[in-house]
Amino acid sequence: MSGLVVTDARLDGERVGLRCAGDGTIAALGPEVVAGAGEEALDAGGALLVPPLLNGHTHAAMTLFRGSGGELPLVPWLEERIWPVEARLEAEDVYWGARLACLEMVRSGTTRFWDMYWHPEATARAVGDAGMRATIGAPFFDRGDPAATWAAAREELALLEGLGGPVSPALAPHAIYTVGEESLRFIAELAAEHGVPVQIHLAETAAEVADCIAAHGRRPAAYLDGLGLLGERTVLAHGVWLDEDELALIAARGATVVSNPAANMKLAVGKVFPWPAARAAGVRVGLGTDGAGSNDSLDLLAELKLFALAQRHAAADATAIRAADAWAIATGAAAPLLGATPLAVGAPADFVLLDPGAPELAIGDPTNDLVYAADRTAVDTVVVAGRVLMRGGAQPERDEVVARAVERAARLGL
Amino acid sequence: MSGLVVTDARLDGERVGLRCAGDGTIAALGPEVVAGAGEEALDAGGALLVPPLLNGHTHAAMTLFRGSGGELPLVPWLEERIWPVEARLEAEDVYWGARLACLEMVRSGTTRFWDMYWHPEATARAVGDAGMRATIGAPFFDRGDPAATWAAAREELALLEGLGGPVSPALAPHAIYTVGEESLRFIAELAAEHGVPVQIHLAETAAEVADCIAAHGRRPAAYLDGLGLLGERTVLAHGVWLDEDELALIAARGATVVSNPAANMKLAVGKVFPWPAARAAGVRVGLGTDGAGSNDSLDLLAELKLFALAQRHAAADATAIRAADAWAIATGAAAPLLGATPLAVGAPADFVLLDPGAPELAIGDPTNDLVYAADRTAVDTVVVAGRVLMRGGAQPERDEVVARAVERAARLGL
């Protein structure tokens, strides 16, 4: 079976073609690639060819919660607006919330995300139906009988492991303030046993750090490390309040930190992820939008600009981050665990074509423009595994997905 | 002559129609308005009808400088990258740079802007050709012979006053560190004599404040006030480093401050405009993108989200700003001088229709979603003076404007 052939794209200043293999990988890429007779051709018209963006931390189905309690700080927002409604969530709610999230992420050129949410099998189904890729974990909280909670976590992991396809499983203990020491040790053992990654919110607020020191005599990263939870398959979401010793430890263990600047600023946690120190320590870094309940968008291209601006602002130094570094972080290239796919023969045929007529990309360095000037109107075509998910900004499933998500939100009283 | 009739729009929870008069004002607005036989009708299909955004501070033609020296701080950026090229600018460069800016602003739902740039008559022509509205001033710097500089400023003002149409004139002394006391007094007199507004960059950096205190024994706002330059027709761009006494003085004089958070964060000036204190003092506040050389986009909808996030972050308080306050600032409703137009009978027929199928506007409070979730993909239709500038996101002049701007940038070696 032959695949899609893209012609007349721009890559590193050259006009290139890209041929997808029938198995969803890139079969050929270069100036010599042209469409043969009878091949399915997509004329890029001089569009810039770039790797897709990678959303390293979200709660996809929380599109249903958009705008709910939007002017509250983190803890009352969770306790008053989010958790009571989540107690009533059904799998079908999560499915349509996640479909809406996929629609929005693809619109921004994102093709892969890391998710932590209830009914993960429903999110996995949404990812498959939307044509995206994801690593998904069920949130783990301590509640009731530990043995029953642990058994449920084992079952959920087995369920996700059985799904295959574009979804890979993860474990997702919510945070060190909602999951106790014994359960965190259990998660570390289960992750090692199954060889799966662990996602956890860490060092999001100053209170979390202070409470950790008070309870455990050390800061969050050191505490996690002592429990065997800091390793090459660990993804730490936020990391706003990490100090230099913690960053050195995280780098030494090969763990990844995913920054979510919009959610951190919106929930007003008071600081910005210390990227200059993380870079100096050699920490692997990714970028995430967090859930739509606390951002409120899933637009990683907007998040990319915010990340760069927040770093320059926090350092009071316009040279604090180069556009190329920010771009590498947003595409997942700066954190191998996250699963970025390079534009290379043999790699998955996942890529983005930018509108060749986009005003914001017409003048200046392309990487600078992508970080600071472009927005989603410049994202023209999104392809995953050789399959076109969006062309000319159009997403055929849009109206149906929006309508169904609106119904589910209404059902929940959102 | 009868005008456009918009049908089936949503406003404050109602389905309404809007009839434009032949003179470019709103003739009728309400549930009872429907298109008559033979009238030019635009079916909004349930789109949300909102006032346009108002860009309170920019240097439109600087789209040509996008990405030039993007990783430098303010002063070397100006001295090494911007000013040497500006010395070679021709009116035709400014015209096409400004046309590109207009294209980008309309795409984000912006219909009116305040501009400070060379060859202002070329920007005025671009505004007219693009169908927008603007207040425009030539930048005033002290150089060479004061008498000649002042005479040139008089001539430029007379030229702009003669243009009429959608452009109104302003005086635009660049800053207190580039224009001396004697020239600032001259500008104050000229402005009073002609009844025109004055735009000036103020309190953008800590160094500017320190230098002002060292030279004049007081902070920037008090210094301007002593020169007769702080009044109801004064627009202060940035205001990042204003203190509480200055904010009280600005409020007492009825002057307007325009915040430009992206440029402030990108140039890393080290602080955020103190909006909570400005609100407490009763200062009139607007929002701007600054020029594309230091943002690098002219997307006021993105700037709106950044403004709200930056305020919540700087205050370390998620309740620091309400979405409705941020929206009022971005539409110009919080600063009467800026020239916002209400959605009301008799007012100019300037308005925006949002895509009724936009995923980001489907769930949650519309104002919250506009501030935190929506982006330019949701801006469907833009109308100024009853004339449709954009419909379905399409701008017929786009490719021509982009191509000509690219030629002018190349000519300048940008």
Side-chain angles (χ1 to χ4, degrees), chain B residues 237-258:
Chain B
H238 302 300
V240 171
W241 289 88
L242 295 170
D243 75 6
E244 289 193 12
D245 290 343
E246 290 178 289
L247 290 166
L249 179 63
I250 290 166
R253 298 291 184 262
T256 295
V257 181
V258 172

Side-chain angles (χ1 to χ4, degrees), chain A residues 235-251:
Chain A
V235 176
L236 309 169
H238 302 300
V240 170
W241 289 89
L242 294 169
D243 74 5
E244 288 193 11
D245 290 343
E246 288 178 290
L247 290 166
L249 179 62
I250 289 166

Side-chain angles (χ1 to χ4, degrees), chain B residues 1-9 16-42 49 344-351 383 385-386:
Chain B
M1 179 185 150
S2 89
L4 179 73
V5 182
V6 175
T7 59
D8 196 24
V16 300
L18 184 156
R19 171 174 288 110
C20 303
D23 68 353
T25 61
I26 298 176
L29 174 63
E32 71 289 355
V33 177
V34 291
E39 282 192 309
E40 184 194 352
L42 190 160
L49 169 64
V345 172
D350 298 7
F351 54 87
V383 175

Side-chain angles (χ1 to χ4, degrees), chain B residues 133-169:
Chain B
R133 303 182 193 272
T135 300
I136 296 182
F140 182 102
F141 286 79
D142 269 340
R143 22 177 199 189
D145 174 17
T149 312
W150 297 359
R154 279 193 184 279
E155 274 174 38
E156 272 168 332
L157 180 59
L159 182 70
L160 288 171
E161 281 181 319
L163 293 175
V167 170
S168 61

Side-chain angles (χ1 to χ4, degrees), chain A residues 160-201:
Chain A
L160 288 171
E161 282 181 319
L163 292 176
V167 170
S168 61
L171 287 162
H174 173 263
I176 59 172
Y177 57 92
T178 45
V179 183
E181 201 167 322
E182 206 183 0
S183 289
L184 288 172
R185 286 189 197 279
F186 160 76
I187 294 282
E189 282 162 25
L190 188 61
E193 192 182 299
H194 289 251
V196 297
V198 175
Q199 312 176 61
I200 185 166
H201 297 110

Side-chain angles (χ1 to χ4, degrees), chain A residues 266 295 305 312 375-376, chain B residues 266 295 305 375-376:
Chain A
K266 184 155 188 267
N295 182 314
K305 178 172 181 174
R312 294 166 75 132
D375 71 344
R376 301 196 308 172
Chain B
K266 183 153 188 270
N295 182 315
K305 177 171 181 175
D375 71 343
R376 302 195 309 173

